[in-house]
Amino acid sequence: MNLTEKSQKYLWLPFTQMKDYDQDPLIIESGKGIKVKDIHGKEYYDAFSSVWLNVHGHRKEELDHAIKAQLDKIAHSTLLGMTNVPATELAEKLVHIAPKSLTRVFYSDSGAEAVEIAVKMAYQYWQNIGQTKKQKFISVKNGYHGDTIGAVSVGAIDIFHQVYGPLMFEGFKTPVPNVYRHPSEDPSVCRDECIANLETLLEHYHEEIAGLTIESMVQGAGGMVVMPEGFLSRVRELCTKYDVLMIIDEVATGFGRTGKMFACEHEGVEPDLMAAGKGITGGYLPIAITYTSEKIYEAFYDDYTKLKTFFHGHSYTGNQLGCAVALANLDLFERDQIVAQVDEKSTRLHELFEEIRALPHVGDVRQLGFMCGIELVSDKATKEPFPFESRVAYKATLKMRELGLLTRPTGDVVVFMPPLVSSKEELREMVHIMKQAIDLVTKEEEERIAAAK
Ligand SMILES: *Cc1c(COP(=O)(O)O)cnc(C)c1O
């Protein structure tokens, strides 16, 4: 059996209809810089940073070295009741780069766990301080926070989450300010409407609400929806006013992705809890974190017999190899001024998108830093989507693959999240490939639909 046949016989891939995989199998063997290579030697731009992770490109010497050096000491020991050297050093660095309100770091292995931990901490916080009625959560419609049941319960993407309905805990949903889909198309009108909605909800129910979960500035999996200016800071004000903990999810947006170290800095927002992951190790190893304020930490700090301990942990929490590479990643952020670079290059990227914006089936191109989405529509004037069965964005990404670029869509939105070190020339080439593929596939789809009528 060759490798492809083995993959088809033994594997079950995440977020993948295996029937699709069987038609278009792909096995990556190596990577260098912002490209990856498959087992047949074909090269691809890693235009989605291997699912939103990669920062400095693949096989970055300093990161490779950090792992090798750590291996000469120890690969892993537990964080239950004790700590280790890189996890401790990393915690200090992480607190220094975070918004001022956040003073403690709790480790885990994935973004979903980091959110799950934030939700459990917020819940237990109110229990520990005796406000036991505060048990529910508000989350934002179309939000995505990962795939474990707790994270799914505060998520709201119907197509992923509906089937698990009966397994989830109940909560409140508040609308997301999607300017492109708002009848007014006016950012402030759209924002104020959503804020008014949220305030009504808080007015009525704040006594039973523990926390509010929200992605920071951009809804990622929900379609790369960039929130209008002032939205996140107004949500912060409302959380404070109604005594609800604000849990910000920076798993996708953190570590420079949007042109700030954390996206909430765009609005000077200081959350009570914050989840981060993805870019934290430069895309090398599974480390995630939940930041908390000192107020929350203190509510758990007491004699053991009071049972205020946070009873949560994972086998690999605080893994040394992961923390060592995260430290090296943060050193590179500083040395290479990664955040400033993204901010600078994203202006160029905005110009490059001009040729994509002009295409007849591109309804909207949304971008904050290097976090971008291209929404495909059947009719640009009416914003009518392509039929669900068309899978037009999926087909466009298959065409991109043929042309030497990898990404994955979310719904009808083609995701573009290149590694943060991508040069202007590389950005230009990637945008050009996407343009060609989108143009070809949407025209084919248009013809196919016309022929079927
Ligand atoms: C990817 C993502 C998660 C989940 O992270 P995993 O590491 O895949 O579990 C959570 N929230 C957001 C906003 C994400 O983009």
Side-chain angles (χ1 to χ4, degrees):
M1 226 187 295
N2 68 29
L3 208 54
T4 300
E5 287 161 351
K6 284 183 196 172
S7 78
Q8 291 168 320
K9 183 166 163 60
Y10 295 111
L11 273 172
W12 188 350
L13 305 177
F15 263 105
T16 302
Q17 174 47 261
M18 291 306 285
K19 195 171 171 183
D20 289 339
Y21 176 78
D22 283 344
Q23 272 160 37
D24 296 286
L26 173 62
I27 305 179
I28 301 300
E29 188 170 62
S30 61
K32 182 80 190 144
I34 70 159
K35 286 188 170 173
V36 293
K37 200 188 272 186
D38 71 15
I39 51 171
H40 307 296
K42 183 173 164 76
E43 281 196 323
Y44 309 86
Y45 278 113
D46 188 358
F48 67 152
S49 297
S50 294
V51 187
W52 316 5
L53 308 174
N54 197 279
V55 176
H56 311 283
H58 298 279
R59 302 212 51 210
K60 182 76 179 169
E61 205 182 321
E62 291 85 345
L63 300 185
D64 294 2
H65 173 77
I67 294 177
K68 289 175 187 159
Q70 180 59 45
L71 256 185
D72 286 336
K73 296 182 186 135
I74 186 171
H76 181 74
S77 64
T78 186
L79 234 62
L80 273 60
M82 63 190 80
T83 180
N84 67 52
V85 177
T88 309
E89 298 282 3
L90 179 61
E92 181 193 21
K93 285 220 167 174
L94 288 169
V95 167
H96 281 154
I97 59 169
K100 273 205 318 289
S101 55
L102 303 169
T103 57
R104 294 275 169 180
V105 170
F106 191 100
Y107 287 109
S108 57
D109 320 332
S110 71
E113 288 167 322
V115 169
E116 191 101 16
I117 286 164
V119 165
K120 285 177 72 179
M121 279 176 172
Y123 176 88
Q124 194 177 340
Y125 166 78
W126 297 110
Q127 302 297 308
N128 282 2
I129 66 166
Q131 293 211 41
T132 51
K133 275 199 321 203
K134 284 171 96 66
Q135 298 191 357
K136 296 219 167 102
F137 290 85
I138 299 182
S139 44
V140 181
K141 278 183 195 150
N142 252 357
Y144 175 78
H145 300 289
D147 301 320
T148 56
I149 290 295
V152 166
S153 298
V154 293
I157 300 187
D158 285 347
I159 195 171
F160 304 161
H161 298 158
Q162 218 159 25
V163 61
Y164 307 111
L167 292 182
M168 299 195 273
F169 59 77
E170 274 177 33
F172 299 99
K173 304 283 182 245
T174 193
V176 57
N178 183 337
V179 178
Y180 175 64
R181 291 283 166 195
H182 194 268
S184 76
E185 287 191 47
D186 180 326
S188 30
V189 172
C190 171
R191 175 198 63 206
D192 293 350
E193 199 179 286
C194 290
I195 288 292
N197 235 293
L198 175 59
E199 178 141 30
T200 307
L201 189 62
L202 283 164
E203 253 166 27
H204 282 91
Y205 298 107
H206 67 274
E207 283 174 353
E208 45 182 295
I209 292 171
L212 173 145
T213 56
I214 185 168
E215 282 161 272
S216 195
M217 297 300 295
V218 187
Q219 254 189 355
M224 296 291 153
V225 175
V226 182
M227 299 170 189
E229 204 182 314
F231 180 71
L232 202 69
S233 51
R234 299 273 290 278
V235 172
R236 171 69 272 183
E237 285 164 24
L238 290 178
C239 287
T240 306
K241 180 171 171 191
Y242 290 97
D243 209 13
V244 159
L245 296 174
M246 185 184 200
I247 302 169
I248 290 195
D249 181 346
E250 290 263 1
V251 175
T253 49
F255 299 97
R257 176 54 61 186
T258 70
K260 299 276 184 200
M261 185 53 90
F262 294 103
C264 59
E265 292 169 31
H266 286 285
E267 305 244 318
V269 164
E270 299 197 9
D272 301 292
L273 296 118
M274 186 164 99
K278 291 197 167 120
I280 190 172
T281 61
Y284 266 57
L285 283 168
I287 295 279
I289 52 164
T290 307
Y291 279 112
T292 80
S293 67
E294 206 62 14
K295 175 179 91 171
I296 291 172
Y297 176 76
E298 279 167 4
F300 290 74
Y301 193 92
D302 209 334
D303 294 331
Y304 182 79
T305 51
K306 301 268 172 50
L307 292 180
K308 290 183 179 175
T309 308
F310 187 52
F311 292 107
H312 185 115
H314 301 281
S315 312
Y316 283 97
T317 292
N319 175 262
Q320 277 98 322
L321 292 176
C323 290
V325 73
L327 275 166
N329 174 40
L330 291 183
D331 285 345
L332 287 178
F333 262 93
E334 233 179 275
R335 189 195 77 187
D336 298 345
Q337 296 290 300
I338 297 293
V339 177
Q341 262 198 56
V342 171
D343 190 40
E344 196 256 323
K345 285 182 294 196
S346 63
T347 311
R348 176 73 189 127
L349 183 55
H350 183 84
E351 293 162 13
L352 288 169
F353 277 140
E354 219 31 74
E355 63 171 342
I356 289 186
R357 245 179 240 113
L359 293 175
H361 291 288
V362 169
D364 196 20
V365 180
R366 296 182 283 272
Q367 179 198 2
L368 190 65
F370 274 16
M371 189 150 177
C372 321
I374 303 160
E375 182 161 342
L376 308 181
V377 289
S378 130
D379 187 323
K380 200 163 175 154
T382 64
K383 304 182 183 179
E384 170 81 16
F386 279 100
F388 176 72
E389 308 73 46
S390 279
R391 304 185 71 198
V392 64
Y394 175 70
K395 285 178 190 158
T397 59
L398 281 182
K399 177 60 76 182
M400 290 171 199
R401 187 200 283 195
E402 231 177 274
L403 300 175
L405 178 146
L406 296 183
T407 187
R408 267 173 72 88
T410 170
D412 289 338
V413 177
V414 174
V415 169
F416 183 56
M417 303 238 311
L420 303 189
V421 294
S422 306
S423 69
K424 289 178 185 171
E425 183 51 30
E426 288 166 332
L427 291 172
R428 195 189 60 76
E429 281 177 34
M430 287 188 277
V431 168
H432 191 65
I433 293 175
M434 291 192 297
K435 183 217 150 182
Q436 277 179 287
I438 290 170
D439 199 26
L440 267 164
V441 167
T442 50
K443 280 181 181 153
E444 266 169 33
E445 208 49 34
E446 182 183 64
E447 282 161 22
R448 206 187 52 77
I449 293 167
K453 271 190 183 147

